[in-house]
Every structure is written in C-alpha cells, then in structure tokens.
C-alpha cells in the first residue's frame, strides 16, 4: 500500500475510534497527577501554593477550546462538523466564518480543552506526550477527512484549502459566516461537553484535595459541575421529549 493510501486508511481507522482518545488521556492523566503529587514534581511544587489560581488558568484554556467548538457548531448547517464516528459526512463545504481562517476548528477546540486538563496534572512529561500524541493521532484523521472532501468537492475544496491553514488560524482573512449563529444547535450538540469538562476538572481537583491535606476542594468548580450536570439532564430531556431544540437545516 502506498504511503498516501496508508495514511488515509490509518486516519479512517482512527476516525471511527476517536471517542477512545479522551478515555486514554483521562486514565493516564489521573495516574500522572497522582504520581506527580507523590514525587513532588517541579511544576506541582511551584503551583501548589496558588493551586486554585492555577486551576483557573487551566480552566480558561479549556473554556477557550469550548468556545471555539460552540462558535463553530453554531454557524454550521446540518450534516457537517458533527460528532459522528461511523463515517465521513459532509453535505456541504464550510468555507466562511471560522472556516475562513482554519480548516479544522473543532480539532483545535478539542486540543485546547484537553490541554487545560493535561496541564492540570502538573506532569510536564505527560503534557508533552499528550501534545505529541494528539498531533500524531489527529494529523492522520485530518488527512483522511481532507481526502474525502477533496474527492467530493474537487477544485472548490482545493482552492479553499490552498488559502486556509489547517490548524493555526489566520485571522486576517476572516469572512463572516453564511449562516446566523444557532444557540439551539449549540445547546443540543455541546451540552455533553460542557458538563464533562467541569466534571473532569472537579475530579482532578478532588484528587489533589484528597492527597494534599492543606488543599481544599474548589467550591466554585463543585458548583459549576452541579449546575452543568442539572442543565445537561434538563436539556437531554427536552431534546428527547420535545421539539424545542429542533431547527430546520441545522
């Protein structure tokens, strides 16, 4: 198999299993944090006196990723930029809005969300490994996606890809989105991510409070986790039993 076909095959295989990466990062991250606490890692020892402030910094990074995801999802039509894992889907090619400055905004958003969590472990080795692993993992997925789009949209895709960077935004070429922002779609698609983000931060915060007697659990994180959890359950019920979040074409 030629390298080009092999990379695409690997990308499609990883695409179908991309939901597994968060689980791997989570379990290894928990181990890395506990290991760092017990070995008094340099970063952990430095930030421990300012633990809640450091948590806020990590949370800010993760929330920046969440905002990117929300902005992206809120401006896209149906059957594009989804969470599907079975196969590649693209009924249309997004080239305006955030897609005018970056070709893979959702993966940038995911990266920042998980980077904040990786930094929360205070394990430098784990954080570096996460960055490298994420790049290798998603580079192949992005390659497979772009091969799919290239075959489906031809020159339209090639012209857009030629002027638009894959992962690092080029803000000066921003053009407004063709579609208005849809809060309904964001709420419907991203409610899981918001709750999961606060839940994970609370989990890592609890581990530190459990292992270090001088550190207390962050009440703000606990409150946000509770609120987002209740919101998730309410919105899930609304989505399942009503049509309030439905919007034609979105």
């Amino acid at each position: 198999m030629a390298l080009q076909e092999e990379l695409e095959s690997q990308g499609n295989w990883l695409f179908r299993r991309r939901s597994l990466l968060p689980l791997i990062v989570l379990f290894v991250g928990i181990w890395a944090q506990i290991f760092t606490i017990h070995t008094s890692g340099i970063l952990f020892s430095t930030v421990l006196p300012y633990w809640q402030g450091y948590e806020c910094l990590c949370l800010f990074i993760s929330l920046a990723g969440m905002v990117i995801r929300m902005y992206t999802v809120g401006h896209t039509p149906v059957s594009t930029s989804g969470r599907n894992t079975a196969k590649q889907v693209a009924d249309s090619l997004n080239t305006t809005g955030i897609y005018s400055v970056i070709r893979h905004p959702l993966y940038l958003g995911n990266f920042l969300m998980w980077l904040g969590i990786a930094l929360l472990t205070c394990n430098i080795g784990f954080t570096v490994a996460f960055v490298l692993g994420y790049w290798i993992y998603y580079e192949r997925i992005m390659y497979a996606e772009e091969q799919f789009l290239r075959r489906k949209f031809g020159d339209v895709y090639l012209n857009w890809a030629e002027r638009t960077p894959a992962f690092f935004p080029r803000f000066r070429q921003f053009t407004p989105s063709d579609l208005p922002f849809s809060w309904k779609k964001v709420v419907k698609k991203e409610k899981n991510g918001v709750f999961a983000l606060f839940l994970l931060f609370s989990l890592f915060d609890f581990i530190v409070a459990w292992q270090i007697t001088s550190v207390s659990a962050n009440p703000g994180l606990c409150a946000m986790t509770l609120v987002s959890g209740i919101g998730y359950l309410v919105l899930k019920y609304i989505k399942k039993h009503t049509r309030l979040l439905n919007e034609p074409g979105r």
Side-chain angles (χ1 to χ4, degrees):
M1 182 183 296
L3 181 59
Q4 184 175 352
E5 285 74 19
E6 184 175 349
L7 288 174
E8 184 176 2
S9 176
Q10 291 176 3
N12 285 322
W13 188 87
L14 292 171
F15 178 86
R16 292 190 295 271
R17 293 159 180 82
R18 58 181 174 165
S19 59
L20 297 177
L21 181 61
L23 296 177
I24 296 173
V25 174
L26 174 60
F27 288 117
V28 178
I30 290 174
W31 174 86
Q33 186 182 48
I34 294 175
F35 175 82
T36 303
I37 292 172
H38 285 279
T39 57
S40 299
I42 296 175
L43 179 58
F44 181 74
S45 300
T46 302
V47 304
L48 183 58
Y50 320 100
W51 176 247
Q52 291 193 356
Y54 181 73
E55 277 185 320
C56 290
L57 174 62
C58 295
L59 182 60
F60 176 81
I61 294 172
S62 292
L63 287 177
M66 176 59 69
V67 169
I68 291 173
R69 281 196 58 91
M70 288 181 171
Y71 182 82
T72 302
V73 170
H75 280 291
T76 53
V78 67
S79 297
T80 64
S81 302
R83 292 180 177 270
N84 53 294
T85 57
K87 63 179 181 178
Q88 307 282 0
V89 175
D91 288 350
S92 60
L93 182 65
N94 298 313
T95 60
T96 60
I98 196 168
Y99 283 96
S100 65
V101 301
I102 181 175
R103 299 203 301 271
H104 299 279
L106 290 178
Y107 294 153
L108 174 61
N110 290 347
F111 172 74
L112 291 175
M113 288 174 64
W114 281 101
L115 178 61
I117 294 172
L119 289 170
L120 198 60
T121 67
C122 295
N123 188 300
I124 298 174
F126 170 74
T127 303
V128 172
F130 160 74
V131 172
L132 293 176
Y134 189 94
W135 179 255
I136 294 172
Y137 192 95
Y138 275 98
E139 182 185 40
R140 281 154 176 76
I141 292 178
M142 288 189 288
Y143 180 84
E145 287 184 353
E146 296 205 354
Q147 290 298 102
F148 167 78
L149 294 173
R150 181 175 183 173
R151 285 192 289 267
K152 184 164 187 176
F153 298 105
D155 289 341
V156 175
Y157 166 78
L158 291 175
N159 292 334
W160 167 68
E162 184 177 359
R163 66 178 183 270
T164 310
F167 199 74
F168 297 100
R170 189 177 296 157
F171 294 105
R172 66 177 181 272
Q173 63 186 37
F174 176 81
T175 57
S177 176
D178 291 335
L179 291 175
F181 187 80
S182 171
W183 274 110
K184 288 184 178 181
K185 183 172 183 180
V186 170
V187 168
K188 185 165 59 175
K189 298 294 185 180
E190 297 301 311
K191 63 183 184 302
N192 304 33
V194 173
F195 174 50
L197 181 63
F198 285 119
L199 183 63
L200 290 177
F201 265 81
S202 291
L203 172 62
F204 282 96
D205 178 69
F206 172 77
I207 291 173
V208 174
W210 171 46
Q211 296 288 319
I212 306 295
T213 56
S214 61
V215 176
S216 301
N218 189 327
L221 274 178
C222 294
M224 287 187 287
T225 302
L226 179 62
V227 170
S228 62
I230 294 173
Y232 166 76
L233 293 175
V234 171
L235 291 171
K236 186 175 182 179
Y237 179 87
I238 291 174
K239 178 183 176 181
K240 184 176 181 180
H241 297 283
T242 75
R243 300 178 60 85
L244 290 176
L245 298 179
N246 291 353
E247 193 171 356
R250 308 300 292 275

